[in-house]
Every structure is written in structure tokens, then in C-alpha cells.
Amino acid sequence: MRRVLALVLALASAGAARAAPADLVIWGGPIYTGEARAPKAEAVTVRAGRIVTVGSRAAAKAEVGPRTRVIDLKGAALFPGFTDSHAHLRGVGERELTLNLEGSRSAAEVAQRLRAHIAARSPSGTVVGRGWIETGWPEKRFLHRNDLDAAAPDRPVLLERADGHALVANSAALKAAGIDETTPAPAGGQILKGPDGNLTGMLVDNAMGLVARLVPPPTDADRLAAYRAAFKVETAYGWTGVHNMSTPWADVALLEELARNGEVPLRVYNAVDADQAGELLRSGPRASPEERVTTRAIKLYMDGALGSRGAALFQPYTDAPAITGTFVTAPEAMRPVLSRALAAGIQVSAHAIGDKGNAAVLDAFDAVGAKPDHRWRIEHAQVIRPADIPRFARQGVIASMQPSHAIGDLHFAPARLGADRLEGAYAWKTLRASGAVVTGGSDAPVERGDPLIEFYAAVARRDLKGFSAADWRPQERLSRAEALKLFTSAPAYARFAEQELGTIAPGKRADLTAFSVDLMTAPEAAIPKGRAVLTIVDGQVVYEAR
């Protein structure tokens, strides 16, 4: 009797499903579901923001009604919605609105861009820019204040390195901030000097705070403009979600208000800077309607960046034997915050790049009793002692990594680290093989923020010109299926949403991304040449290429 009743209910349910047309039907290209049992499909149907059916085109036709929107992919490939597991959303927007030095090929070109920016915009106050990186420059050095002085001798200029862990200040900025050769470096920071003992203008990690007062805090209008610009950039790249790192607490309320007004087109998962997270630690996780804005994590910094030699290493830098990097936060100072997060049910995302920095975070997580179901994360996890790699899986620590860092950093990482330490550098394949969860992101605006570049870097481990080398450890390349998980199912797990997001399956939220290039079959070199053609969140098209 029970079987008969179950059959009747199933048939009634099927009839009801057929009776209610879909809001959206998608077909006309390869569809990769991310589901092991049925990895490919011909069509997807969506109703009320959720996936209804995943299967044949013939079955999907039965759900087409007079008001159904039918999207023909015209050969484009559809995937579960791509999520950037590590980006700085407001920074992405600010990059669009300020002096963007990304792609500068020399110190001379930076000076030229600075001069043109001032001439074209006549900005008031301190001139701010970011995005330069000296890798491949003919000068073979960091920027120097003299480079900036020639272009802007009379007004303060601050130009942040791409990694966000160092900046160069011109002489006018140093003078305005009261910094000279006798100024002591703050704990966790460096004030660089040349062989002659004079300031170079380079301020690393916490030393950047010495010039912070030269830049007025952004107004509400500035912050709104930056987020709106970022939303356009991210959805046009195909991202349906962003894990928003280092979110200022004031921005949480701003983003939630935008969400209530229907102005947040993708999912934002906030990790609030720990020094501003008092309210979050008191009240616990929070989310806006439809979970467009969720705030459940805090962000801490253990060390600096490899490129500016701020990443904390057990042994000195091979190319700078007097330097071992910097603890931005003392390990013992981190533990009380970790304990509060544990008690409040707040996820921890800890920045660690050097082998000593990663070991210190793993030690701290273990000391406060963090367990695998807490899903605490290490952001970047770039250089790890081989003996520490198994600890990620054993402790349940998520490795939040950015593949494009490898194809940029490996031009200088061998010189920084030497051959032995490269074994644990950008070791995403080894981490996954050990049983650790590895989730993928871009660290935009440090990197471009294009998911196709990130996917390419993960599977090719070559730079965008096709260059690689034996010391780039090509054995760390991922398969296409593994790389897909980095940006779909792994980010969903990393934000506690694997039941709702991450694969194309009936009942899940209809977050979908289509690219012009088939990531699973295209030649490697073709991957970064593609583009997003369709971005869908909760069944709503938030970007469509024209």
C-alpha cells in the first residue's frame, strides 16, 4: 500500500511539475553539472530561482510555456556559477576609479602614467594609485621615490604595489608624513633604505600606516561608487559570488542596504577585518534576504607578501640573506581572537604566505581547538613546508589559493626561495591529493580577477605567454575537473553552502556561468582568450554579452 501511495504521489508531483512552466530554459551548448553521477546535460530548467530539471533537451521542451525565457547558448559552455573565493570587492571598484598601474612594463612607464593621470584629472590632495609590480622590468628593482619625484615633485603621491603589502611614497609624501631616515619602523613593517642609507620611499606592510593620514577616508558616496563599479566588473567576468576579504565593518551595513534595495547582483560572503569585528564576534553570523550578503568570517594577517619579502620564512630569503620576513600579527596576539571566533561560531580566514607564517597559523588553529567542521581557512597558503602539508587535511583547514599568483610569482619565487623551498610552493595538487579542501580565487585587485586566467593557471601552470620552467613544478597542475571544483563546489563548501550552491542539480539555487570557450576541452592557450557570455544568479540574468 505504501508503495502504491508513493507512486501516486510521485506521479502527481511529476504532473504538477509539467503543469507549471519553467521561468528559464537553457540549452544549445555543453552543460557541465559538476555532479559525478551525471557530469553533462543537454538542458537546464529553472523556476522561482531554483534548478528544476537537468537532463535532455526533449524533456526541457515540456517545461516551456508562453512566458518562459529560452536561452540558446549557441555553442557556449555552461557551468555551475563561478565563485571567487578571495577578492577585495571594494578594491576592485576603486581600481576602476583611480590610477590603475596594472600592466606597467617599467618604472619609467609608471612615471609616465602618473604624469598623464595628473594632467588629465588634476586630482586634489594626495595622488593614489595601485597595481604596479616590478617583475620583468628592465630596471630590475622596486619603484623608488625618485621615479615619482620627476613626475610629481610638489604633491604627495602613494602608489601601492600589486600585492597590497607595500607602497612607494614620493619625497613630498614622506615629508608630509614626517618620515625621514631616523623614523623607526613599526612592528610588522619595514622602511626600506638604499645602500647610501637614504630612504627609497618603499614602505612595507605595517609601515604603510605611517602615510595613511595623507589619504582622507572614503565618503559614503565613494564607497557606493566603488561597490557599484565592482559589481559590473565581477558579473561581466562571470562571477556569481565573491568571498569578500578584509571587509570594513561599516561596509557590511552598506552592502546589506544595497541588498535590501535589490542592488547586489551576486553573492557576497564577507570576512571582516579582525580589528573591526567586535560586533560580529558578539552577535554571530548574519545574512540579508536571499543570502546576497552573508557575513560569517573574520580576516587576520599573519605575515606579508613574498614579492616584497614580507612573507615569514623559517630561513632567510635566498636573494636577501639578512631578511626572513615579518609577522604582521604576533602569533600569541592572534589566539585570543581565535578563541572568541570559535565561541561565536565565526569562521576564521587567516592570511599566510611564507612557510613560517603557514606553520604559525596551523599551530594557532590547533591550540584553540578548531575542528574540521569549523571550516577555518588559510588564505594564500603559498609556501608550505612539505611536512606541514598533511596538517591541512588532518586539521580540516581549507587552503584558499589563487592560481594566478603562481604564474606571476614563479618568475621571481625561485630567486626568493631557492630550489628546496619550491617543493611546497603553490602546491595545490599536492594539497588536494593529501585530502585537503582547496578553494580557488583571484585576490583581485592584486591580480586581474578574470576566472578564465585563474582556471588556465590552475591547469597549465604557465604564464599568459605560455612560458614555464622545471622549477615551476609543472607536476602541480590540476586536471580540468579538479580546476572546475576550485571555483564551484569548493567555494560553496568554504562558505557552508554546499547544499545550495556549487553544482547544477535539481533543487539548488540557479547560479550559473557560461563562457565562450569550453574549459573542459579547449586547448590550454585558448582558455584565457575566452570571455563570459552569461551570468545568472538566483535564476536572474545579471550579465549577458551583447
Side-chain angles (χ1 to χ4, degrees), residues 200-213:
T200 67
M202 283 292 296
L203 306 175
V204 180
D205 288 316
N206 287 352
M208 295 191 292
L210 298 174
V211 295
R213 64 183 178 85

Side-chain angles (χ1 to χ4, degrees), residues 443-466:
D443 205 9
V446 173
E447 301 286 354
R448 182 86 52 82
D450 184 343
L452 295 178
I453 292 177
E454 299 301 329
F455 192 96
Y456 165 80
V459 301
R461 208 170 171 97
R462 298 176 179 272
D463 71 14
L464 293 176
K465 296 179 180 178

Side-chain angles (χ1 to χ4, degrees), residues 443-527:
D443 205 9
V446 173
E447 301 286 354
R448 182 86 52 82
D450 184 343
L452 295 178
I453 292 177
E454 299 301 329
F455 192 96
Y456 165 80
V459 301
R461 208 170 171 97
R462 298 176 179 272
D463 71 14
L464 293 176
K465 296 179 180 178
F467 174 81
S468 183
D471 56 10
W472 284 37
R473 296 186 62 79
Q475 62 268 38
E476 291 291 346
R477 292 178 297 182
L478 296 180
S479 71
R480 310 280 179 118
E482 289 170 332
L484 182 62
K485 291 179 180 179
L486 247 63
F487 304 103
T488 55
S489 58
Y493 176 86
R495 60 158 293 173
F496 302 88
E498 68 273 20
Q499 300 302 317
E500 294 279 284
L501 305 168
T503 64
I504 301 176
K508 287 197 170 182
R509 292 182 182 270
D511 289 9
L512 307 163
T513 304
F515 295 110
S516 63
V517 60
D518 186 337
L519 303 182
M520 312 308 282
T521 62
E524 286 178 356
I527 293 171

